[in-house]
Amino acid sequence: MTADLVSPCRGCQMSRTPCRFGADDFVALSETAARVRLACPAAFEGGPRVAHGGWTAAVFDDVLGRFLVHTGVKSVTATLTVDYLLPVPVEQPLEIHLEIAAREGRRNHLTGVLRLQGSDRDLAVARGVWVELRPGHFERHQARMAELGT
Ligand SMILES: CCCCCCCCCCCCCCCC(=O)SCCNC(=O)CCNC(=O)[C@H](O)C(C)(C)COP(=O)(O)OP(=O)(O)OC[C@H]1O[C@@H](n2cnc3c(N)ncnc32)[C@H](O)[C@@H]1OP(=O)(O)O
């Protein structure tokens, strides 16, 4: 696989907006590794000039899941753990390096690290499991919602 751009999530594709988390510059480097260049938008400021932890978790969830889908594995997040090691600045050039660490049946283990561009100091580290969908996943969801009358 040559370096190629990873598509945005369904919500951003449908609304034809740039990635709402700021993760548009997203390149697959191989079948198991990718990198994202991004900045935390000011709208996700949590402390003074510091990113809200929810942004960090959301962007990891987004890019790890998008990359797995990019490799052809339709999947959803089953677990996601984030270690917050240092404050993440808003509106500064950041980089995420991510990889598919292991595949066990339908379980896919992914990891990601967030750093300032040009720095080798980890600001946050994510690990999670993405489960490949069984056929009819969304139809079963719709049926459950219909049973609830929603
Ligand atoms: C124009 C439109 C274009 C669109 C273009 C799209 C572009 C592409 C963008 C993609 C962008 C995505 C980015 C966001 C990604 C999300 O945010 S996904 C949303 C959040 N996650 C969810 O909603 C998941 C909710 N949970 C579930 O639906 C179900 O629990 C799951 C995870 C599907 C599992 O249910 P299941 O299929 O019934 O699985 P089950 O048979 O019980 O277990 C299967 C295996 O997974 C393991 N497993 C299940 N749960 C867990 C767990 N929590 N922990 C560890 N292992 C587990 C089981 O142990 C089992 O392992 P094996 O025995 O096979 O070894």
Side-chain angles (χ1 to χ4, degrees):
M1 186 192 285
T2 52
D4 57 342
L5 269 181
V6 177
S7 298
C9 75
R10 178 182 168 86
C12 290
Q13 285 189 29
M14 301 289 276
S15 59
R16 297 174 191 272
T17 56
C19 173
R20 289 161 288 177
F21 298 129
D24 289 301
D25 183 354
F26 187 176
V27 174
L29 304 174
S30 72
E31 289 181 3
T32 57
R35 71 106 185 104
V36 190
R37 293 201 176 117
L38 72 169
C40 174
F44 290 107
E45 189 174 69
R49 305 304 295 155
V50 170
H52 193 297
W55 174 82
T56 305
V59 81
F60 273 129
D61 183 42
D62 178 59
V63 300
L64 294 166
R66 281 165 62 190
F67 181 53
L68 196 55
V69 170
H70 181 82
T71 67
V73 181
K74 288 184 184 162
S75 55
V76 287
T77 320
T79 71
L80 178 65
T81 303
V82 179
D83 292 338
Y84 295 91
L85 304 175
L86 284 169
V88 174
V90 295
E91 296 187 305
Q92 292 295 318
L94 302 168
E95 198 159 70
I96 292 176
H97 290 270
L98 56 120
E99 66 172 2
I100 302 169
R103 289 194 160 122
E104 299 172 309
R106 290 171 51 213
R107 279 179 291 154
N108 299 269
H109 298 258
L110 278 80
T111 61
V113 296
L114 174 68
R115 299 176 182 142
L116 280 165
Q117 283 181 31
S119 163
D120 57 6
R121 189 98 188 258
D122 295 350
L123 303 178
V125 176
R127 298 171 192 81
V129 175
W130 275 254
V131 173
E132 187 170 358
L133 296 178
R134 288 186 284 122
H137 173 84
F138 293 106
E139 290 77 3
R140 285 192 297 282
H141 166 67
Q142 293 298 346
R144 278 193 298 272
M145 297 305 287
E147 276 173 25
L148 295 170
T150 56

